[in-house]
C-alpha cells in the first residue's frame, strides 16, 4: 500500500492548529471508567467535550456535534441504545464518528453491538491489534482490553476492514498503524506509560473525532490525531516519575503542544 505522502506529513501541524482554532464539539458515548480523563484530554487539546449518552438525546446531539466517539468499554443497555441512535443520526447529518470496539471478540454483548454499529459506517475505527482482527472476523479478540496480537499481525485485517467498510482504521500499539484501504502510515511515537493510565487508549478515539471535524481527508486527520497524542505522551514521559505524574503531565503536554513540536518530532513513515 502507498505510504502517507509528504503532504500528509505537512498536514499534521496544520490539523492541530485547526482544532485549536475551531474548538470542535465532541460528543462522547464512552465507558464509565474513562469519562473524566477523556473530557480533560479534549479540553487540554483545545476541543470541547459533551458526554451526551442517553436515548432520545444522543441522536439529536449527534446531528449538531462536530464529531462523535462511540466507545464500547462498559456498554450497559441504555447506553447501547443511545450508541445506535447516535450512529444512525451522525451519518445522514455528515457528522464524523469514531468506533472504538473495546474488547470485542470473546464477549458476546459488545461484539454483537460492534457488528451492528459497523453496518452504520463509522468514519474511523480505532482499536488494539486483537480488537481490529476480531472485528474483521479473523480472530477471537484479546484478553479483555489487552491485545494478545502485535500491530503487524493486524495490518492485513485493518486494510481489509477499511476496504470493505470505506472507513479509516487505526491500530494502536508501540508503532501505530493507520490505513484507509489504499494509503497507510505508521507513527512511531508514544511511551509505554500511556498503557499504565486508565483511558490512555480510549481518549485517543475522542481526539480522532476532534481532528476528523476539521478536514474531509479522514486518513490525514487520523494520522494527525495519533501523532499529536503520541508526541505529547513522549514529552510527558520526560517529566513523569510514574503513571500518576504521567497522567497529569500528559494533560499539560497536550495543552502546551505546538505545531513546531509536531513538525520536528512526529515520526511518520
Amino acid at each position: 500500500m502507498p505510504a502517507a505522502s509528504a503532504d500528509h506529513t505537512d498536514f499534521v501541524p496544520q490539523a492541530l492548529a485547526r482544532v485549536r482554532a475551531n474548538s470542535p464539539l465532541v460528543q462522547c458515548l464512552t465507558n464509565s471508567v474513562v469519562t473524566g480523563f477523556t473530557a480533560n484530554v479534549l479540553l487540554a487539546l483545545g476541543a470541547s467535550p459533551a458526554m451526551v449518552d442517553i436515548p432520545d438525546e444522543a441522536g439529536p446531539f449527534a446531528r449538531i456535534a462536530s464529531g462523535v466517539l462511540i466507545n464500547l468499554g462498559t456498554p450497559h443497555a441504555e447506553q447501547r441504545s443511545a450508541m445506535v441512535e447516535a450512529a444512525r443520526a451522525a451519518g445522514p447529518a455528515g457528522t464524523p464518528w469514531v468506533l472504538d470496539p473495546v474488547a470485542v471478540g470473546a464477549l458476546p454483548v459488545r461484539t454483537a453491538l460492534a457488528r451492528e454499529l459497523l453496518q452504520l459506517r463509522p468514519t474511523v475505527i480505532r482499536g488494539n491489534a486483537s480488537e481490529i482482527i476480531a472485528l474483521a472476523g479473523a480472530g477471537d479478540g484479546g484478553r479483555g482490553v489487552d491485545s494478545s496480537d502485535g500491530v503487524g499481525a493486524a495490518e492485513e485485517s485493518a486494510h481489509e476492514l477499511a476496504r470493505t467498510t470505506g472507513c479509516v482504521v487505526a491500530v494502536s500499539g508501540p508503532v501505530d498503524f493507520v490505513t484507509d484501504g489504499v494509503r497507510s502510515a505508521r507513527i512511531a511515537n508514544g511511551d509505554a506509560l500511556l498503557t499504565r493510565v486508565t483511558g490512555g487508549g480510549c481518549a485517543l478515539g475522542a481526539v480522532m473525532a476532534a481532528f476528523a471535524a476539521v478536514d474531509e481527508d479522514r486518513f490525514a486527520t487520523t494520522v494527525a490525531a495519533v501523532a499529536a497524542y503520541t508526541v505529547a505522551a513522549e514529552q510527558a514521559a520526560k517529566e513523569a516519575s510514574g503513571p500518576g505524574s504521567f497522567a497529569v503531565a500528559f494533560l499539560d503536554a497536550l495543552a502546551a503542544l505546538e505545531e513546531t513540536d509536531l513538525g520536528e518530532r512526529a515520526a511518520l513513515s
Side-chain angles (χ1 to χ4, degrees), residues 57-250:
E57 290 187 357
F61 201 89
R63 296 186 187 97
I64 63 171
S66 307
V68 176
L69 166 67
I70 297 180
N71 174 296
L72 308 189
T74 54
H76 56 77
E78 186 177 49
Q79 193 186 56
R80 294 198 301 273
S81 297
M83 288 173 173
V84 173
E85 180 184 305
R88 284 179 174 160
T95 307
W97 65 282
V98 177
L99 172 63
D100 192 333
V102 178
V104 297
L107 298 173
V109 172
R110 72 190 64 226
T111 301
L113 176 60
R115 302 252 179 249
E116 182 178 2
L117 290 167
L118 197 60
Q119 298 303 310
L120 298 173
R121 301 285 179 165
T123 310
V124 181
I125 300 170
R126 187 219 76 88
N128 65 38
S130 293
E131 291 162 350
I132 296 303
I133 290 170
L135 194 61
D140 297 326
R143 301 172 299 168
V145 298
D146 296 325
S147 180
S148 57
D149 298 281
V151 172
E155 289 187 7
E156 185 54 39
S157 291
H159 174 262
E160 183 64 15
L161 194 57
R163 188 186 67 78
T164 57
T165 64
C167 68
V168 175
V169 179
V171 188
S172 295
V175 177
D176 296 271
F177 177 74
V178 178
T179 182
D180 63 359
V182 177
R183 298 169 291 177
S184 66
R186 293 173 181 82
I187 306 97
N189 296 102
D191 191 90
L193 280 171
L194 267 176
T195 67
R196 305 275 304 280
V197 174
T198 298
C202 294
L204 176 55
V207 172
M208 289 177 178
F211 274 75
V214 302
D215 196 272
E216 292 294 324
D217 186 344
R218 272 52 188 264
F219 171 76
T221 63
T222 303
V223 171
V226 174
Y229 199 80
T230 53
V231 167
E234 287 181 345
Q235 294 178 278
K238 295 176 183 177
E239 308 296 327
S241 58
S245 56
F246 173 79
V248 175
F250 182 53

Side-chain angles (χ1 to χ4, degrees), residues 16-38:
L16 175 64
R18 293 183 191 180
V19 170
R20 297 258 171 82
N22 291 283
S23 188
L25 177 62
V26 181
Q27 179 183 7
C28 299
L29 299 90
T30 192
N31 73 76
S32 58
V33 182
V34 305
T35 304
F37 186 75
T38 300

